[in-house]
Short mmCIF file of all heavy atoms in Angstrom, two decimals:
data_model
loop_
_atom_site.label_atom_id
_atom_site.label_comp_id
_atom_site.label_asym_id
_atom_site.label_seq_id
_atom_site.Cartn_x
_atom_site.Cartn_y
_atom_site.Cartn_z
N MET N 25 0.83 -1.20 0.01
CA MET N 25 0.01 -0.02 0.01
C MET N 25 0.88 1.28 -0.02
O MET N 25 1.87 1.32 0.76
CB MET N 25 -0.89 -0.05 1.23
CG MET N 25 -2.26 0.62 1.05
SD MET N 25 -3.29 0.14 -0.33
CE MET N 25 -3.95 -1.46 0.21
N GLN N 26 0.49 2.19 -0.79
CA GLN N 26 1.25 3.45 -0.97
C GLN N 26 0.40 4.60 -0.52
O GLN N 26 -0.79 4.60 -0.71
CB GLN N 26 1.61 3.56 -2.49
CG GLN N 26 2.26 4.88 -2.88
CD GLN N 26 3.78 4.81 -2.92
OE1 GLN N 26 4.33 3.69 -2.98
NE2 GLN N 26 4.39 5.91 -2.82
N THR N 27 1.02 5.62 -0.01
CA THR N 27 0.30 6.81 0.46
C THR N 27 0.76 8.02 -0.37
O THR N 27 1.99 8.24 -0.53
CB THR N 27 0.46 7.14 1.95
OG1 THR N 27 0.10 5.96 2.67
CG2 THR N 27 -0.37 8.26 2.39
N GLU N 28 -0.21 8.78 -0.87
CA GLU N 28 0.15 10.00 -1.63
C GLU N 28 -0.63 11.18 -1.08
O GLU N 28 -1.82 11.04 -0.82
CB GLU N 28 -0.17 9.75 -3.13
CG GLU N 28 0.21 10.89 -4.09
CD GLU N 28 1.75 10.91 -4.27
OE1 GLU N 28 2.38 9.83 -4.31
OE2 GLU N 28 2.25 12.07 -4.23
N THR N 29 0.04 12.29 -0.96
CA THR N 29 -0.75 13.53 -0.48
C THR N 29 -0.78 14.54 -1.62
O THR N 29 0.27 14.88 -2.24
CB THR N 29 -0.03 14.10 0.78
OG1 THR N 29 0.06 13.14 1.80
CG2 THR N 29 -0.83 15.31 1.29
N ILE N 30 -1.95 14.99 -1.87
CA ILE N 30 -2.17 15.92 -2.98
C ILE N 30 -2.80 17.19 -2.42
O ILE N 30 -3.66 17.19 -1.56
CB ILE N 30 -3.25 15.31 -3.97
CG1 ILE N 30 -2.65 13.95 -4.55
CG2 ILE N 30 -3.53 16.32 -5.12
CD1 ILE N 30 -3.70 13.16 -5.24
N THR N 31 -2.23 18.32 -2.84
CA THR N 31 -2.81 19.67 -2.42
C THR N 31 -3.90 20.11 -3.41
O THR N 31 -3.71 20.09 -4.61
CB THR N 31 -1.68 20.71 -2.41
OG1 THR N 31 -0.59 20.19 -1.60
CG2 THR N 31 -2.19 22.00 -1.80
N VAL N 32 -5.04 20.44 -2.83
CA VAL N 32 -6.18 20.74 -3.69
C VAL N 32 -6.79 22.07 -3.27
O VAL N 32 -6.93 22.34 -2.06
CB VAL N 32 -7.31 19.60 -3.49
CG1 VAL N 32 -8.58 19.93 -4.26
CG2 VAL N 32 -6.80 18.28 -3.96
N LYS N 33 -7.16 22.87 -4.26
CA LYS N 33 -7.69 24.17 -4.02
C LYS N 33 -9.19 24.12 -4.44
O LYS N 33 -9.55 23.41 -5.30
CB LYS N 33 -7.05 25.25 -4.84
CG LYS N 33 -6.18 26.16 -3.97
CD LYS N 33 -5.26 27.10 -4.77
CE LYS N 33 -5.89 27.95 -5.87
NZ LYS N 33 -4.86 28.86 -6.39
N GLY N 34 -10.01 24.89 -3.65
CA GLY N 34 -11.42 25.05 -4.05
C GLY N 34 -12.37 24.28 -3.14
O GLY N 34 -13.61 24.43 -3.33
N MET N 35 -11.92 23.57 -2.17
CA MET N 35 -12.80 22.87 -1.26
C MET N 35 -13.20 23.82 -0.16
O MET N 35 -12.27 24.42 0.53
CB MET N 35 -12.09 21.62 -0.66
CG MET N 35 -11.70 20.57 -1.70
SD MET N 35 -11.05 19.09 -0.92
CE MET N 35 -9.58 19.69 -0.17
N THR N 36 -14.47 24.06 0.02
CA THR N 36 -14.89 25.06 1.00
C THR N 36 -15.80 24.50 2.07
O THR N 36 -16.01 25.27 3.05
CB THR N 36 -15.69 26.13 0.25
OG1 THR N 36 -16.75 25.58 -0.47
CG2 THR N 36 -14.82 26.99 -0.70
N CYS N 37 -16.33 23.33 1.97
CA CYS N 37 -17.18 22.80 2.98
C CYS N 37 -17.18 21.33 3.01
O CYS N 37 -16.49 20.69 2.22
CB CYS N 37 -18.65 23.31 2.73
SG CYS N 37 -19.39 22.52 1.25
N MET N 38 -17.96 20.69 3.95
CA MET N 38 -17.92 19.31 4.12
C MET N 38 -18.48 18.59 2.83
O MET N 38 -18.18 17.47 2.53
CB MET N 38 -18.75 18.81 5.29
CG MET N 38 -17.95 19.03 6.59
SD MET N 38 -16.20 18.52 6.60
CE MET N 38 -16.47 16.74 6.62
N GLY N 39 -19.35 19.27 2.08
CA GLY N 39 -19.91 18.75 0.81
C GLY N 39 -18.79 18.55 -0.16
O GLY N 39 -18.72 17.47 -0.83
N CYS N 40 -17.87 19.49 -0.25
CA CYS N 40 -16.69 19.37 -1.17
C CYS N 40 -15.81 18.23 -0.70
O CYS N 40 -15.32 17.43 -1.55
CB CYS N 40 -15.91 20.65 -1.11
SG CYS N 40 -16.72 22.13 -1.62
N VAL N 41 -15.60 18.13 0.58
CA VAL N 41 -14.75 17.10 1.12
C VAL N 41 -15.28 15.70 0.72
O VAL N 41 -14.60 14.89 0.31
CB VAL N 41 -14.66 17.20 2.71
CG1 VAL N 41 -14.06 15.93 3.28
CG2 VAL N 41 -13.88 18.48 3.10
N ASN N 42 -16.66 15.57 0.90
CA ASN N 42 -17.24 14.30 0.60
C ASN N 42 -17.18 14.00 -0.92
O ASN N 42 -17.02 12.82 -1.27
CB ASN N 42 -18.70 14.26 1.17
CG ASN N 42 -18.74 14.14 2.66
OD1 ASN N 42 -17.84 13.55 3.24
ND2 ASN N 42 -19.71 14.69 3.24
N SER N 43 -17.39 15.01 -1.75
CA SER N 43 -17.27 14.78 -3.19
C SER N 43 -15.91 14.23 -3.58
O SER N 43 -15.77 13.28 -4.30
CB SER N 43 -17.49 16.05 -3.98
OG SER N 43 -18.63 16.78 -3.53
N VAL N 44 -14.85 14.88 -3.06
CA VAL N 44 -13.51 14.49 -3.38
C VAL N 44 -13.26 13.07 -2.84
O VAL N 44 -12.70 12.19 -3.54
CB VAL N 44 -12.47 15.48 -2.74
CG1 VAL N 44 -11.07 14.93 -2.83
CG2 VAL N 44 -12.57 16.83 -3.44
N LYS N 45 -13.68 12.80 -1.62
CA LYS N 45 -13.49 11.55 -1.00
C LYS N 45 -14.18 10.44 -1.86
O LYS N 45 -13.61 9.38 -2.16
CB LYS N 45 -14.12 11.54 0.37
CG LYS N 45 -13.33 10.86 1.46
CD LYS N 45 -13.97 11.08 2.78
CE LYS N 45 -14.16 9.82 3.54
NZ LYS N 45 -12.94 9.17 3.95
N ASN N 46 -15.41 10.71 -2.28
CA ASN N 46 -16.19 9.72 -3.04
C ASN N 46 -15.61 9.43 -4.40
O ASN N 46 -15.51 8.25 -4.75
CB ASN N 46 -17.63 10.24 -3.22
CG ASN N 46 -18.42 10.14 -1.94
OD1 ASN N 46 -18.11 9.46 -0.99
ND2 ASN N 46 -19.52 10.96 -1.89
N VAL N 47 -15.19 10.44 -5.12
CA VAL N 47 -14.65 10.15 -6.50
C VAL N 47 -13.37 9.31 -6.38
O VAL N 47 -13.08 8.47 -7.16
CB VAL N 47 -14.39 11.40 -7.34
CG1 VAL N 47 -15.72 12.03 -7.71
CG2 VAL N 47 -13.47 12.43 -6.72
N LEU N 48 -12.59 9.60 -5.28
CA LEU N 48 -11.32 8.88 -5.11
C LEU N 48 -11.56 7.44 -4.70
O LEU N 48 -10.92 6.53 -5.19
CB LEU N 48 -10.37 9.64 -4.16
CG LEU N 48 -9.84 10.94 -4.65
CD1 LEU N 48 -9.10 11.66 -3.54
CD2 LEU N 48 -8.87 10.73 -5.89
N GLU N 49 -12.48 7.30 -3.75
CA GLU N 49 -12.69 5.93 -3.28
C GLU N 49 -13.36 5.08 -4.30
O GLU N 49 -13.44 3.83 -4.14
CB GLU N 49 -13.42 5.99 -1.94
CG GLU N 49 -12.44 6.48 -0.83
CD GLU N 49 -13.13 6.63 0.56
OE1 GLU N 49 -14.32 6.63 0.67
OE2 GLU N 49 -12.27 6.78 1.51
N LYS N 50 -13.93 5.64 -5.40
CA LYS N 50 -14.55 4.84 -6.45
C LYS N 50 -13.50 4.26 -7.35
O LYS N 50 -13.74 3.32 -8.15
CB LYS N 50 -15.46 5.71 -7.27
CG LYS N 50 -16.93 5.66 -6.76
CD LYS N 50 -17.91 6.22 -7.86
CE LYS N 50 -17.53 7.64 -8.27
NZ LYS N 50 -18.69 8.30 -8.91
N ILE N 51 -12.27 4.77 -7.34
CA ILE N 51 -11.23 4.30 -8.20
C ILE N 51 -10.72 2.97 -7.75
O ILE N 51 -10.37 2.84 -6.58
CB ILE N 51 -10.06 5.28 -8.30
CG1 ILE N 51 -10.53 6.64 -8.84
CG2 ILE N 51 -8.91 4.79 -9.09
CD1 ILE N 51 -9.49 7.83 -8.73
N PRO N 52 -10.71 1.96 -8.62
CA PRO N 52 -10.22 0.61 -8.20
C PRO N 52 -8.82 0.69 -7.73
O PRO N 52 -7.95 1.28 -8.37
CB PRO N 52 -10.34 -0.22 -9.51
CG PRO N 52 -11.32 0.49 -10.31
CD PRO N 52 -11.17 1.97 -10.01
N GLY N 53 -8.54 0.11 -6.55
CA GLY N 53 -7.20 0.12 -6.02
C GLY N 53 -7.03 1.13 -4.89
O GLY N 53 -6.06 1.05 -4.15
N VAL N 54 -7.98 2.10 -4.81
CA VAL N 54 -7.86 3.05 -3.72
C VAL N 54 -8.54 2.42 -2.45
O VAL N 54 -9.72 2.05 -2.48
CB VAL N 54 -8.62 4.38 -4.02
CG1 VAL N 54 -8.65 5.32 -2.84
CG2 VAL N 54 -7.80 5.02 -5.23
N SER N 55 -7.83 2.40 -1.37
CA SER N 55 -8.42 1.80 -0.16
C SER N 55 -9.05 2.88 0.74
O SER N 55 -10.00 2.66 1.40
CB SER N 55 -7.38 0.95 0.62
OG SER N 55 -6.32 1.79 1.08
N SER N 56 -8.42 4.09 0.72
CA SER N 56 -9.02 5.15 1.50
C SER N 56 -8.51 6.55 0.95
O SER N 56 -7.43 6.63 0.46
CB SER N 56 -8.77 5.05 2.96
OG SER N 56 -7.40 5.37 3.23
N ALA N 57 -9.39 7.50 1.15
CA ALA N 57 -9.03 8.89 0.82
C ALA N 57 -9.48 9.75 2.04
O ALA N 57 -10.58 9.71 2.44
CB ALA N 57 -9.72 9.32 -0.44
N ASP N 58 -8.53 10.54 2.55
CA ASP N 58 -8.85 11.39 3.70
C ASP N 58 -8.53 12.81 3.29
O ASP N 58 -7.57 13.11 2.67
CB ASP N 58 -8.03 10.99 4.89
CG ASP N 58 -8.48 9.63 5.45
OD1 ASP N 58 -9.62 9.62 5.87
OD2 ASP N 58 -7.68 8.68 5.43
N VAL N 59 -9.45 13.69 3.62
CA VAL N 59 -9.35 15.11 3.21
C VAL N 59 -9.31 16.03 4.44
O VAL N 59 -10.14 15.88 5.38
CB VAL N 59 -10.57 15.53 2.41
CG1 VAL N 59 -10.47 16.97 1.94
CG2 VAL N 59 -10.72 14.62 1.18
N SER N 60 -8.30 16.91 4.48
CA SER N 60 -8.18 17.96 5.46
C SER N 60 -8.70 19.22 4.75
O SER N 60 -8.00 19.78 3.95
CB SER N 60 -6.79 18.06 5.99
OG SER N 60 -6.67 19.34 6.63
N LEU N 61 -9.84 19.67 5.17
CA LEU N 61 -10.44 20.87 4.59
C LEU N 61 -9.64 22.14 4.94
O LEU N 61 -9.36 22.97 4.02
CB LEU N 61 -11.85 21.03 5.16
CG LEU N 61 -12.71 22.23 4.62
CD1 LEU N 61 -12.86 22.15 3.15
CD2 LEU N 61 -14.08 22.18 5.24
N GLU N 62 -9.15 22.24 6.16
CA GLU N 62 -8.41 23.46 6.62
C GLU N 62 -7.09 23.58 5.76
O GLU N 62 -6.74 24.71 5.43
CB GLU N 62 -8.05 23.30 8.10
CG GLU N 62 -9.25 23.15 9.03
CD GLU N 62 -9.83 21.83 9.04
OE1 GLU N 62 -9.07 20.84 8.85
OE2 GLU N 62 -11.06 21.69 9.14
N GLN N 63 -6.38 22.47 5.58
CA GLN N 63 -5.13 22.52 4.93
C GLN N 63 -5.26 22.32 3.40
O GLN N 63 -4.24 22.49 2.69
CB GLN N 63 -4.19 21.46 5.52
CG GLN N 63 -3.96 21.62 6.99
CD GLN N 63 -3.09 20.45 7.54
OE1 GLN N 63 -1.89 20.57 7.44
NE2 GLN N 63 -3.70 19.48 8.08
N GLY N 64 -6.37 21.88 2.93
CA GLY N 64 -6.54 21.59 1.49
C GLY N 64 -5.67 20.40 1.08
O GLY N 64 -5.15 20.39 -0.05
N LEU N 65 -5.62 19.44 1.96
CA LEU N 65 -4.79 18.27 1.64
C LEU N 65 -5.61 17.01 1.53
O LEU N 65 -6.50 16.77 2.36
CB LEU N 65 -3.72 18.04 2.77
CG LEU N 65 -2.61 19.08 2.87
CD1 LEU N 65 -1.66 18.72 4.02
CD2 LEU N 65 -1.78 19.14 1.55
N VAL N 66 -5.32 16.24 0.51
CA VAL N 66 -6.01 14.97 0.27
C VAL N 66 -4.93 13.84 0.34
O VAL N 66 -3.91 13.88 -0.33
CB VAL N 66 -6.64 14.96 -1.12
CG1 VAL N 66 -7.36 13.59 -1.39
CG2 VAL N 66 -7.63 16.13 -1.22
N THR N 67 -5.14 12.93 1.21
CA THR N 67 -4.27 11.80 1.43
C THR N 67 -4.89 10.56 0.93
O THR N 67 -6.02 10.14 1.33
CB THR N 67 -3.84 11.62 2.89
OG1 THR N 67 -3.37 12.92 3.37
CG2 THR N 67 -2.79 10.60 3.04
N VAL N 68 -4.27 9.94 -0.08
CA VAL N 68 -4.85 8.72 -0.68
C VAL N 68 -3.97 7.48 -0.38
O VAL N 68 -2.76 7.56 -0.53
CB VAL N 68 -4.95 8.88 -2.21
CG1 VAL N 68 -5.74 7.72 -2.87
CG2 VAL N 68 -5.58 10.19 -2.58
N GLN N 69 -4.60 6.40 0.07
CA GLN N 69 -3.96 5.16 0.22
C GLN N 69 -4.31 4.31 -0.84
O GLN N 69 -5.54 4.09 -1.05
CB GLN N 69 -4.36 4.57 1.62
CG GLN N 69 -3.47 5.03 2.77
CD GLN N 69 -3.32 3.89 3.79
OE1 GLN N 69 -4.10 3.00 3.88
NE2 GLN N 69 -2.21 3.94 4.55
N TYR N 70 -3.38 3.68 -1.56
CA TYR N 70 -3.78 2.90 -2.72
C TYR N 70 -2.80 1.84 -3.08
O TYR N 70 -1.64 1.79 -2.57
CB TYR N 70 -3.95 3.84 -3.92
CG TYR N 70 -2.62 4.53 -4.34
CD1 TYR N 70 -1.91 4.09 -5.46
CD2 TYR N 70 -2.13 5.58 -3.62
CE1 TYR N 70 -0.78 4.69 -5.83
CE2 TYR N 70 -0.98 6.28 -4.03
CZ TYR N 70 -0.30 5.79 -5.12
OH TYR N 70 0.85 6.37 -5.51
N ASP N 71 -3.21 0.91 -3.91
CA ASP N 71 -2.42 -0.16 -4.42
C ASP N 71 -1.74 0.31 -5.65
O ASP N 71 -2.41 0.54 -6.69
CB ASP N 71 -3.33 -1.39 -4.63
CG ASP N 71 -2.52 -2.58 -5.07
OD1 ASP N 71 -1.36 -2.46 -5.52
OD2 ASP N 71 -3.12 -3.71 -5.06
N VAL N 72 -0.36 0.37 -5.67
CA VAL N 72 0.34 0.91 -6.85
C VAL N 72 0.17 0.03 -8.10
O VAL N 72 0.33 0.57 -9.24
CB VAL N 72 1.84 1.01 -6.62
CG1 VAL N 72 2.17 2.26 -5.87
CG2 VAL N 72 2.48 -0.19 -5.92
N ALA N 73 -0.21 -1.21 -7.89
CA ALA N 73 -0.41 -2.06 -9.05
C ALA N 73 -1.73 -1.81 -9.81
O ALA N 73 -2.00 -2.18 -10.89
CB ALA N 73 -0.48 -3.55 -8.59
N MET N 74 -2.64 -1.06 -9.10
CA MET N 74 -3.96 -0.79 -9.65
C MET N 74 -4.28 0.63 -9.95
O MET N 74 -5.21 0.91 -10.78
CB MET N 74 -4.97 -1.38 -8.72
CG MET N 74 -5.04 -2.91 -8.60
SD MET N 74 -6.30 -3.45 -7.40
CE MET N 74 -7.78 -3.11 -8.37
N ALA N 75 -3.62 1.54 -9.29
CA ALA N 75 -4.01 2.95 -9.48
C ALA N 75 -2.79 3.88 -9.36
O ALA N 75 -1.68 3.41 -8.89
CB ALA N 75 -5.02 3.36 -8.39
N GLY N 76 -2.91 5.06 -9.76
CA GLY N 76 -1.76 6.00 -9.76
C GLY N 76 -2.18 7.45 -9.58
O GLY N 76 -3.39 7.79 -9.71
N VAL N 77 -1.26 8.27 -9.22
CA VAL N 77 -1.51 9.65 -8.88
C VAL N 77 -2.16 10.48 -9.98
O VAL N 77 -3.03 11.30 -9.76
CB VAL N 77 -0.22 10.39 -8.49
CG1 VAL N 77 -0.45 11.77 -7.89
CG2 VAL N 77 0.57 9.55 -7.46
N ALA N 78 -1.74 10.20 -11.23
CA ALA N 78 -2.33 10.97 -12.34
C ALA N 78 -3.88 10.82 -12.41
O ALA N 78 -4.61 11.71 -12.67
CB ALA N 78 -1.68 10.49 -13.67
N GLN N 79 -4.23 9.56 -12.18
CA GLN N 79 -5.67 9.19 -12.06
C GLN N 79 -6.41 10.01 -10.95
O GLN N 79 -7.51 10.43 -11.15
CB GLN N 79 -5.70 7.73 -11.75
CG GLN N 79 -6.62 6.87 -12.59
CD GLN N 79 -6.57 5.45 -12.17
OE1 GLN N 79 -5.47 4.94 -11.68
NE2 GLN N 79 -7.62 4.70 -12.30
N PHE N 80 -5.78 10.11 -9.87
CA PHE N 80 -6.38 10.77 -8.65
C PHE N 80 -6.56 12.27 -9.02
O PHE N 80 -7.58 12.82 -8.79
CB PHE N 80 -5.53 10.66 -7.44
CG PHE N 80 -5.15 9.24 -7.10
CD1 PHE N 80 -3.94 9.04 -6.34
CD2 PHE N 80 -5.90 8.20 -7.49
CE1 PHE N 80 -3.62 7.71 -6.06
CE2 PHE N 80 -5.57 6.91 -7.10
CZ PHE N 80 -4.41 6.69 -6.42
N LYS N 81 -5.49 12.89 -9.61
CA LYS N 81 -5.59 14.24 -9.98
C LYS N 81 -6.71 14.57 -10.92
O LYS N 81 -7.43 15.54 -10.85
CB LYS N 81 -4.25 14.74 -10.50
CG LYS N 81 -3.16 14.73 -9.33
CD LYS N 81 -1.84 15.27 -9.86
CE LYS N 81 -0.86 15.35 -8.68
NZ LYS N 81 0.45 15.82 -9.06
N GLU N 82 -6.85 13.69 -11.98
CA GLU N 82 -7.84 13.81 -12.94
C GLU N 82 -9.21 13.72 -12.30
O GLU N 82 -10.11 14.49 -12.64
CB GLU N 82 -7.67 12.74 -14.00
CG GLU N 82 -8.34 13.01 -15.32
CD GLU N 82 -8.20 11.85 -16.30
OE1 GLU N 82 -7.07 11.42 -16.53
OE2 GLU N 82 -9.30 11.40 -16.76
N ALA N 83 -9.42 12.76 -11.43
CA ALA N 83 -10.74 12.58 -10.76
C ALA N 83 -11.04 13.81 -9.93
O ALA N 83 -12.19 14.23 -9.90
CB ALA N 83 -10.68 11.35 -9.91
N ILE N 84 -10.11 14.37 -9.23
CA ILE N 84 -10.29 15.57 -8.43
C ILE N 84 -10.74 16.75 -9.30
O ILE N 84 -11.63 17.46 -9.02
CB ILE N 84 -9.05 15.93 -7.59
CG1 ILE N 84 -8.82 14.83 -6.51
CG2 ILE N 84 -9.20 17.25 -6.93
CD1 ILE N 84 -7.42 14.90 -5.85
N GLU N 85 -10.04 16.94 -10.43
CA GLU N 85 -10.29 17.98 -11.40
C GLU N 85 -11.63 17.83 -12.04
O GLU N 85 -12.45 18.78 -12.23
CB GLU N 85 -9.16 18.18 -12.35
CG GLU N 85 -8.04 18.84 -11.65
CD GLU N 85 -6.83 19.15 -12.58
OE1 GLU N 85 -6.73 18.54 -13.61
OE2 GLU N 85 -5.98 19.97 -12.13
N ASP N 86 -11.96 16.55 -12.38
CA ASP N 86 -13.33 16.27 -12.93
C ASP N 86 -14.41 16.62 -12.00
O ASP N 86 -15.50 16.90 -12.38
CB ASP N 86 -13.41 14.82 -13.36
CG ASP N 86 -12.65 14.55 -14.63
OD1 ASP N 86 -12.15 15.48 -15.29
OD2 ASP N 86 -12.43 13.36 -15.00
N ALA N 87 -14.11 16.49 -10.68
CA ALA N 87 -15.15 16.79 -9.63
C ALA N 87 -15.30 18.28 -9.40
O ALA N 87 -16.09 18.72 -8.67
CB ALA N 87 -14.73 16.09 -8.37
N GLY N 88 -14.44 19.12 -10.09
CA GLY N 88 -14.53 20.55 -10.07
C GLY N 88 -13.60 21.25 -9.17
O GLY N 88 -13.77 22.43 -8.85
N PHE N 89 -12.44 20.57 -8.70
CA PHE N 89 -11.50 21.24 -7.88
C PHE N 89 -10.14 21.36 -8.59
O PHE N 89 -9.93 20.72 -9.61
CB PHE N 89 -11.40 20.43 -6.56
CG PHE N 89 -12.71 20.28 -5.88
CD1 PHE N 89 -13.42 19.07 -6.07
CD2 PHE N 89 -13.22 21.33 -5.13
CE1 PHE N 89 -14.67 18.96 -5.47
CE2 PHE N 89 -14.52 21.17 -4.56
CZ PHE N 89 -15.18 19.99 -4.71
N GLU N 90 -9.36 22.26 -8.03
CA GLU N 90 -8.07 22.51 -8.63
C GLU N 90 -6.90 21.79 -7.86
O GLU N 90 -6.75 22.00 -6.68
CB GLU N 90 -7.79 24.00 -8.69
CG GLU N 90 -6.63 24.45 -9.50
CD GLU N 90 -6.22 25.88 -9.31
OE1 GLU N 90 -7.18 26.70 -8.97
OE2 GLU N 90 -5.06 26.26 -9.53
N VAL N 91 -6.12 20.99 -8.64
CA VAL N 91 -5.01 20.34 -8.06
C VAL N 91 -3.82 21.23 -8.09
O VAL N 91 -3.48 21.70 -9.19
CB VAL N 91 -4.71 18.96 -8.81
CG1 VAL N 91 -3.42 18.33 -8.28
CG2 VAL N 91 -5.89 18.03 -8.69
N VAL N 92 -3.23 21.48 -7.01
CA VAL N 92 -2.04 22.42 -6.94
C VAL N 92 -0.79 21.64 -7.20
O VAL N 92 0.15 22.06 -7.87
CB VAL N 92 -2.03 23.20 -5.62
CG1 VAL N 92 -0.78 24.06 -5.55
CG2 VAL N 92 -3.25 24.00 -5.39
N ASN N 93 -0.71 20.49 -6.56
CA ASN N 93 0.48 19.60 -6.85
C ASN N 93 0.20 18.21 -6.42
O ASN N 93 -0.82 17.96 -5.79
CB ASN N 93 1.78 20.08 -6.16
CG ASN N 93 1.72 20.04 -4.67
OD1 ASN N 93 1.24 19.09 -4.08
ND2 ASN N 93 2.12 21.09 -4.02
CU1 CU W 248 -18.41 22.55 -0.61
#
């Protein structure tokens, strides 16, 4: 299991947090996604054989948020 932290801009409430969490946890290979609203940080735990960071960033942007790095 691998952990990746992504900085995300545009999350303003718990609804945003849940949207981001949901899109990430739908990706096969992702075991959990945790979001810190205050810091704008998304921490994803995933199986490197099944998923990758580029996929996470795309899912976050598709959900309407901006990936900073
Ligand atoms: Cu919101």
Side-chain angles (χ1 to χ4, degrees):
M25 211 52 76
Q26 171 96 20
T27 305
E28 186 70 40
T29 303
I30 301 166
T31 307
V32 177
K33 251 169 55 175
M35 298 185 295
T36 55
C37 69
M38 283 316 286
C40 299
V41 168
N42 287 329
S43 311
V44 169
K45 224 173 129 64
N46 287 341
V47 291
L48 290 172
E49 288 179 346
K50 267 197 302 200
I51 298 171
V54 172
S55 64
S56 75
D58 290 298
V59 181
S60 164
L61 181 58
E62 302 75 34
Q63 301 178 81
L65 291 179
V66 178
T67 306
V68 188
Q69 271 215 336
Y70 65 102
D71 181 345
V72 280
M74 292 179 71
V77 189
Q79 228 179 329
F80 308 153
K81 292 183 175 178
E82 200 184 305
I84 293 167
E85 284 182 342
D86 285 349
F89 303 98
E90 189 189 334
V91 174
V92 178
N93 65 46

